Amino acid sequence: MVMNTTPKGALRGQTTYAGGSTLLATTQRQFERAAAVLGIDEAIVERLRHCDRQIIVSVPVKMDSGRWEHFVGYRVQHSNARGPYKGGLRFHPHVDLAEIEALAALMTWKCALLDVPFGGAKGGIQVDPSRLSEGELERLTREYVRRLLPNIGEYLDIPAPDVNTSEKEMAWFADEAGRTLMRPVPGIVTGKPLDSGGNVGRKEATGRGLGTVVLELLRRLGKDHLTAGIAIQGYGNVGRQTALFLAEQGCRIVAISDISGGIYQARGLDIDDIERHLRENPGSLLDSYHAPGIERIDNQRLLRLPVDVLIPAALENQITPEVAQTTEAKSIVEGANGPTTLDAQDLLVERGIVVVPDILANAGGVFGSYIEWLANTTGSEWSLERTREAIRTSMLRAFNNVWDRATEKNGNLDLRAAAYEIALERVVAAMNARYC
Ligand code: NAD
């Protein structure tokens, strides 16, 4: 079903950006390739090609100036074959329907691969949050919730943080939903602050899960993690938590970057010192950090550095065919969703560069969300240690499943193809069990 509640004209001013459709084409092709390898029935393939529901809402906000502005909000529910829809909520000027559609489908595959009982969804608002005041941002978030509510629920669809959203927006989300429904509904959203029903390990979950995968990959490749060089693009929730975890394990992080550019130091950056700087200067970017011996680099250079592991953890479509052809990275572990285009993926496989795909590498977040949701809906308690151990175990299990499937086949090590095949098998099994 397609539901479009957008009033006429609400899409005015939408920026044209090809990134969303490129991402959608990439994810569709990857899914279709896996379906062809597995010989999945065309009727099922056709059903999974489409999202169950696409919701577009107009979100009117009274700005501090007294003027009204209308923003466009999306929520796309791809499949609930294995459980309630689940997926993040991003605030970004480039958000469009194609991008959200692709990200929703990625969530279906990710949840299946991690074997958590959720389906896939994604949401977003086309907005540059950096130009909004705190009050405007809160009013925007709360109005989006009110417009979306009939289609969101603890056992229906559960959002979480994503690009430019954090526990602050999730707390507003849960509060507004509770007020409207006139009962507390902490399980309606994950990634909340601790005082609003959040879980101790959720914030770090994606980064720690990613770090766990990096360590396991290096072990499988026979490389000592204490000497391996690592570069991370994007220093937000995912990139930062990954850097913290890997630095804690003694890894050498030679480069990091954010929207303001990157910094490089061959002997390894002092992550603790960078953290101290960012803590003391809240809201500042990496271009404000200075230390002896660091070199300023741009994101293009970072993506081509001669490192053992490159971690794109910013936005989609960063690893283009040009990057794939020229990068000197030996392996890529995808922190972001959809950072590698389809043509680039093929080139990387041909060049023997091992890629751990997004649906595996960044799935620690959804597992952390699952724990938070379980705690909210069942009243169970999860300590930090238990949460960390559960995430580590599930990430290693998923990694080993994918690695074993990929190595069963002769030829190049294509972890993405293997991950999609496992995920698709599970979703199709659930569909068959339900509908046959
Ligand atoms: P975030 O908003 O917290 O951080 C994004 C980071 O990327 C920021 O440091 C930003 O400055 C940087 N950035 C933006 N544009 C850039 C560019 N052109 N070049 C370099 N850096 C740039 O977002 P996040 O939550 O860390 O999400 C990052 C990616 O990880 C997204 O693809 C998201 O979908 C994915 N992801 C997030 C989670 C999660 O738990 N937050 C879980 C799984 C996947």
Side-chain angles (χ1 to χ4, degrees), residues 90 110 122 161-164 202 206 233-238 257-259 299 313-315 335-337 362:
R90 69 169 55 173
K110 192 182 299 183
K122 201 79 179 189
D162 193 72
V163 174
N164 290 332
R202 171 60 186 90
T206 310
Q233 183 203 31
Y235 208 66
N237 179 28
V238 178
S257 72
D258 63 17
I259 189 84
N299 272 291
L315 289 172
N337 284 311
N362 69 31

Side-chain angles (χ1 to χ4, degrees), residues 15 30 89 99 124 154 156 226 235 239 242 258 266 306 390 405 417 436:
T15 50
Q30 270 146 8
L89 175 59
E99 179 188 72
E154 284 171 295
L156 172 60
L226 297 174
Y235 208 66
T242 306
D258 63 17
R405 169 77 66 114
C436 288

Side-chain angles (χ1 to χ4, degrees), residues 263-274:
I263 49 178
Y264 171 73
Q265 191 160 33
R267 68 173 154 85
L269 294 161
D270 184 344
I271 298 295
D272 285 344
D273 193 51
I274 295 167

Side-chain angles (χ1 to χ4, degrees), residues 101-307:
E101 239 184 277
L103 293 168
L106 278 178
M107 286 304 297
T108 301
W109 314 132
K110 192 182 299 183
C111 291
L113 189 60
L114 257 275
D115 212 5
V116 289
F118 287 134
K122 201 79 179 189
I125 302 181
Q126 193 183 84
V127 60
D128 176 359
S130 67
R131 68 170 195 86
L132 264 54
S133 70
E134 182 88 349
E136 289 167 343
L137 199 58
E138 179 173 354
R139 294 195 289 283
L140 174 76
T141 309
R142 288 183 181 274
E143 185 59 30
Y144 173 76
V145 177
R146 289 195 289 272
R147 302 260 162 164
L148 216 59
L149 247 194
N151 293 286
I152 301 287
E154 284 171 295
Y155 298 98
L156 172 60
D157 183 356
I158 307 131
D162 193 72
V163 174
N164 290 332
T165 59
S166 63
E167 51 181 38
K168 179 175 69 182
E169 289 79 10
M170 300 306 116
W172 289 332
F173 197 111
D175 181 62
E176 191 59 37
R179 282 166 192 258
T180 312
L181 298 170
M182 292 194 291
R183 63 186 167 87
V185 280
I188 203 166
V189 67
T190 57
K192 301 177 293 294
L194 280 183
D195 294 332
S196 302
N199 185 273
V200 270
R202 171 60 186 90
K203 195 171 169 191
E204 60 176 36
T206 310
R208 281 187 84 91
L210 195 71
T212 303
V213 164
V214 169
L215 296 180
E216 185 60 13
L217 175 71
L218 289 169
R219 195 185 69 77
R220 294 278 193 159
L221 297 175
K223 181 86 202 168
D224 180 0
H225 76 274
L226 297 174
T227 55
I230 296 171
I232 305 176
Q233 183 203 31
Y235 208 66
N237 179 28
V238 178
R240 195 166 174 177
Q241 295 294 336
T242 306
L244 282 171
F245 176 73
L246 289 175
E248 206 179 282
Q249 304 301 312
C251 296
R252 189 167 55 94
I253 298 167
V254 297
I256 57 173
S257 72
D258 63 17
I259 189 84
S260 71
I263 49 178
Y264 171 73
Q265 191 160 33
R267 68 173 154 85
L269 294 161
D270 184 344
I271 298 295
D272 285 344
D273 193 51
I274 295 167
E275 280 301 310
R276 186 196 45 74
H277 169 77
L278 295 177
R279 262 196 318 275
E280 285 171 6
N281 302 278
S284 61
L285 294 169
L286 291 173
D287 60 356
S288 64
Y289 176 74
H290 302 279
I294 63 163
E295 190 187 330
R296 304 249 157 232
I297 57 170
D298 64 16
N299 272 291
Q300 288 311 309
R301 167 120 185 261
L302 181 141
L303 295 173
R304 293 170 171 83
L305 287 172
V307 288

Side-chain angles (χ1 to χ4, degrees), residues 3-57:
M3 182 167 36
N4 185 340
T5 56
T6 316
K8 252 183 158 172
L11 289 171
R12 256 191 327 224
Q14 197 169 15
T15 50
T16 45
Y17 167 66
S21 40
T22 305
L23 181 65
L24 184 58
T26 302
T27 53
Q28 291 275 20
R29 271 301 288 139
Q30 270 146 8
F31 148 69
E32 282 166 5
R33 278 182 185 179
V37 170
L38 297 173
I40 305 287
D41 186 286
E42 183 50 32
I44 292 209
V45 174
E46 187 57 14
R47 214 148 68 202
L48 287 168
R49 234 179 237 128
H50 301 280
C51 294
D52 288 353
R53 194 173 288 113
Q54 300 175 334
I55 303 162
I56 307 178
V57 291

